[in-house]
Amino acid sequence: MIEAAINGSTSKEANPNVPRTVEEIVATALACVDAGAAIVHNHNDEPNVGEPSVHSADPYEAAWSQIWETRPGLLMHPTTSGERSSAIADRFSHIVELHQRGALTMATADAGCLSRAFDGPEGPLALPVFGNSAADVDQVFGWCREADLPLHVSIFEPGFLRLTLAHHKARRLPQRTKIQLYFGGPAALFGLPPTQAGLNAYVEMISDTGLPWMVGVPRGDVLGSGLAEAALRAGGHVRVGLEDYAGQGQPTNEELVAQAADLGAQHGRPPVGVDDVTAALWG
C-alpha cells in the first residue's frame, strides 16, 4: 500500500514540482495513482500552526471532486490545524463539514502533542507545540466512530501509539483505522530515527494488534534511508511524497511513488490499487 503525501508545507522554492493550486493537486494526485498510489494526502495553503486555526473545506472539495470523476472512491484525507489555543471542534470543523457535504472518504487524527524542533546551524530551532491532548484525541476518535469512515492516525512519538493502542484495546477506534508511523529525518528533532532499531520498537508495540501500518520520514527520505524496505519486510506499507521528502534532487511525487512501487515489486509486494485498498488494509 502506497500513500502519496503530495505537498504539505513544501514551497515551490524548495521544489518547483510541488502542487499548490487545485489544478496542480488534481493532476498530481491522478499521476500518483497511475504510478501505484492507493491513498493521497494533501494540504491547502492554510497553516498547520498559527492562524487561521479553522481551515476551509472548499479547496479540498474543489480538488477531490475532480479527482473522483476519474478515480471514484479514492481515499483522500486532509490535514488539520495543530494550533493549541483553539478548541479541537474548531480545528476539526472542516473535516466534519466535508463529511456533511458527502465529500470525505477518509478522516485524519493526530494522536497526541508534539514538541517540535529542527536542527539548525546555530543549534536546535524550537517551533510551537503541535497536536492534540488526550481529551482531544478521544473526541476525534468518537466522531470518527460515529461517522464510520476510514481513519488515518498520525503517530509522531511512541506515546501517540500507546494512547491509540489503549483506545484500540477498549474498542474505541473506528473499525477501519490505518496507523501512520512517522520517523524524524536528519534535521527533524522529534520521533524515533528512521533505522531498523527505531522500526523494531514500533513493530514490537503494534505487531499483535492486527492494525495496518505504514512508515514515513518527514524532513528525510523514506526510500533512501532504507526504512521503506525494512517496513516492507516487516509487513508494513509506505508513504512517500514531497510533503516529507528532503533527499537528493527535486523529484516529482509520481517519481517517488514509482520508486516505492518498484521496491514493493522487488520484495514480492506489488502495490495495491485503488479498487482493492479497503480489502488490503482491513480484510
Side-chain angles (χ1 to χ4, degrees):
M1 186 68 53
I2 300 171
E3 176 171 313
I6 61 176
N7 56 13
S9 60
T10 302
S11 67
K12 289 281 190 181
E13 289 73 27
N15 187 329
N17 296 310
V18 70
R20 302 293 345 164
T21 68
V22 167
E23 292 74 18
E24 290 171 341
I25 289 168
V26 171
T28 296
L30 293 176
C32 286
V33 171
D34 289 342
I39 303 173
V40 176
H41 165 62
N42 70 278
H43 293 213
N44 57 27
D45 285 331
E46 294 165 317
N48 285 95
V49 177
E51 300 297 338
S53 59
V54 179
H55 286 186
S56 172
D58 293 340
Y60 291 111
E61 186 176 16
W64 296 353
S65 61
Q66 295 181 57
I67 293 165
W68 289 326
E69 290 176 2
T70 303
R71 295 290 185 174
L74 173 65
L75 294 181
M76 302 194 67
H77 60 96
T79 191
T80 58
S81 172
E83 182 58 59
R84 297 289 305 134
S85 63
S86 299
I88 185 60
D90 294 331
R91 293 184 280 121
F92 201 72
S93 61
H94 63 297
I95 294 179
V96 174
E97 184 174 351
L98 284 164
H99 180 54
Q100 291 171 342
R101 295 181 185 183
L104 187 67
T105 53
M106 191 172 210
T108 184
D110 297 307
C113 289
L114 177 65
S115 180
R116 303 185 305 157
F118 293 112
D119 192 8
E122 298 180 0
L125 173 64
L127 298 174
V129 173
F130 170 88
N132 300 318
S133 69
D136 293 342
V137 173
D138 183 68
Q139 185 172 336
V140 170
F141 284 172
W143 183 89
C144 292
R145 288 196 308 274
E146 291 295 321
D148 192 26
L149 288 167
L151 175 63
H152 161 109
V153 179
S154 294
I155 305 296
F156 287 96
E157 300 278 8
F160 286 31
L161 184 57
R162 295 190 70 178
L163 177 62
T164 301
L165 294 182
H167 280 274
H168 178 63
K169 181 179 179 181
R171 301 182 183 275
R172 295 176 57 83
L173 282 182
Q175 290 187 352
R176 293 169 292 169
T177 296
K178 171 182 75 73
I179 303 298
Q180 176 64 56
L181 303 174
Y182 292 112
F183 297 75
L189 303 180
F190 57 78
L192 296 175
T195 62
Q196 184 68 60
L199 177 64
N200 290 347
Y202 276 134
V203 170
E204 181 179 348
M205 295 170 69
I206 202 172
S207 60
D208 63 350
T209 66
L211 291 169
W213 54 273
M214 62 173 49
V215 297
V217 184
R219 296 293 183 99
D221 184 355
V222 68
L223 296 167
S225 66
L227 184 67
E229 184 173 6
L232 287 170
R233 290 198 303 265
H237 307 276
V238 180
R239 161 174 154 144
V240 295
L242 298 186
E243 174 173 349
D244 298 344
Y245 184 77
Q248 297 297 312
Q250 294 183 324
T252 64
N253 281 290
E254 53 267 35
E255 287 171 346
L256 295 174
V257 171
Q259 291 174 30
D262 288 344
L263 182 64
Q266 293 170 23
H267 287 268
R269 297 186 61 195
V272 173
V274 172
D275 295 337
D276 300 316
V277 61
T278 298
L281 284 174
W282 300 293

